[in-house]
Amino acid sequence: MTHPKKAIVLSSGGLDSTTVLAMAKNQGYLLYSLSFDYGQRHIAELSAAKKVAAIMGVTRHLVTRIDLGPMGGSALTDAIPVPKFRDSGQLSATIPVTYVPARNTIFLSYALAWAETLGAWDIFIGVNAVDYSGYPDCRPEFINAFETMANLSTKAAVEGAGRFQIHTPLIHLSKARIIQEGLALGVDYSITHSCYDPSPDGLACGGCDSCLLRKKGFHDAKTPDPTLYQKNVRSSSEP
């Protein structure tokens, strides 16, 4: 009897990572999802990640605590205002203050450690280099470099047991295409959370970069946006 291959999927509870989880499931992987409580202001995403894991039927959903707050340097972990209602030119012009220093490097390192422990050679992450906020750790060059490092730095790879692969199925897709792919796989986007600056009860702000990209994605995909937004935000569906 052939056993399904194991995969570690980084899961934030957001639109992109949930789509990736559905893709990995569709490919027949035995799923292990990994989320992080890293001191982010949008902690509501972890509740979404828990719901997603349950619905997707993951074998284990692990939430790891890493406190990046004391290091500061990001609007997601420090007392820095989250930018709102930036236009499309601003979204890609510079690296925004919502960038968390070395976040994906840290997250992938934890995923790699768990993968080596489980004997899983496949790691999935929902990075995107098209409709994104300009983060350097979402680019193909970074992913390729990390994969090379993973196969140079682990006992399992060095001893020839296998080769780690970092899967980025969304990296060249528009947000609209990501949504369409997810809907085709039965993803319920109403349970996902993308907002960087939600209200205390978890409602999306509607104006941060992540909300703007999400709204534009649903608009361009010509499908209703199921997100619950706070009242008195701009009604426009595009940045």
Side-chain angles (χ1 to χ4, degrees):
M1 179 178 177
T2 302
H3 295 283
K5 293 191 297 182
K6 300 173 182 177
I8 309 296
V9 183
L10 291 174
S11 174
S12 68
L15 186 154
D16 292 342
S17 68
T18 300
T19 304
V20 169
L21 196 60
M23 288 177 165
K25 181 178 181 179
N26 187 57
Q27 292 175 36
Y29 284 96
L30 191 64
L31 302 175
Y32 293 80
S33 60
L34 178 59
S35 305
F36 295 91
D37 177 357
Y38 61 93
Q40 66 270 47
R41 69 167 69 207
H42 54 307
I43 196 71
E45 68 177 9
L46 293 181
S47 295
K50 183 177 180 180
K51 292 178 184 177
V52 168
I55 289 174
M56 291 287 184
V58 306
T59 299
R60 185 182 178 192
H61 176 220
L62 179 63
V63 179
T64 297
R65 171 67 176 165
I66 310 169
D67 192 2
L68 300 181
M71 299 177 188
S74 170
L76 301 189
T77 59
D78 206 345
I80 301 170
V82 174
K84 301 289 178 72
F85 298 106
R86 301 199 302 154
D87 62 37
S88 57
Q90 291 175 310
L91 291 180
S92 58
T94 59
I95 299 172
V97 295
T98 51
Y99 164 72
V100 179
R103 181 176 62 178
N104 280 349
T105 304
I106 294 167
F107 286 2
L108 281 171
S109 295
Y110 272 77
L112 177 62
W114 198 21
E116 186 171 21
T117 300
L118 292 174
W121 297 101
D122 299 278
I123 298 171
F124 286 76
I125 182 171
V127 294
N128 180 264
V130 180
D131 284 343
Y132 77 124
S133 295
Y135 301 152
D137 53 2
C138 289
R139 299 171 182 170
E141 296 86 348
F142 164 74
I143 296 298
N144 293 337
F146 189 94
E147 182 175 289
T148 297
M149 182 277 297
N151 288 291
L152 291 173
S153 64
T154 50
K155 177 177 183 289
V158 169
E159 291 185 346
R163 179 174 178 80
F164 292 104
Q165 183 174 358
I166 311 298
H167 299 262
T168 58
L170 311 184
I171 201 160
H172 296 302
L173 301 184
S174 68
K175 192 68 71 179
R177 179 69 184 282
I178 291 168
I179 291 169
Q180 291 166 344
E181 293 282 342
L183 291 174
L185 293 171
V187 173
D188 178 4
Y189 287 116
S190 70
I191 67 169
T192 64
H193 179 92
S194 300
C195 181
Y196 290 154
D197 193 23
S199 65
D201 54 355
L203 296 179
C205 74
C208 68
D209 291 358
S210 188
C211 279
L212 294 178
L213 290 170
R214 182 180 173 113
K215 287 194 289 184
K216 183 178 185 298
F218 280 104
H219 177 270
D220 292 350
K222 297 180 173 57
T223 191
D225 181 356
T227 310
L228 296 177
Y229 294 103
Q230 299 172 37
K231 295 180 179 179
N232 302 318
V233 298
R234 297 184 189 180
S235 59
S236 172
S237 59
E238 299 184 55

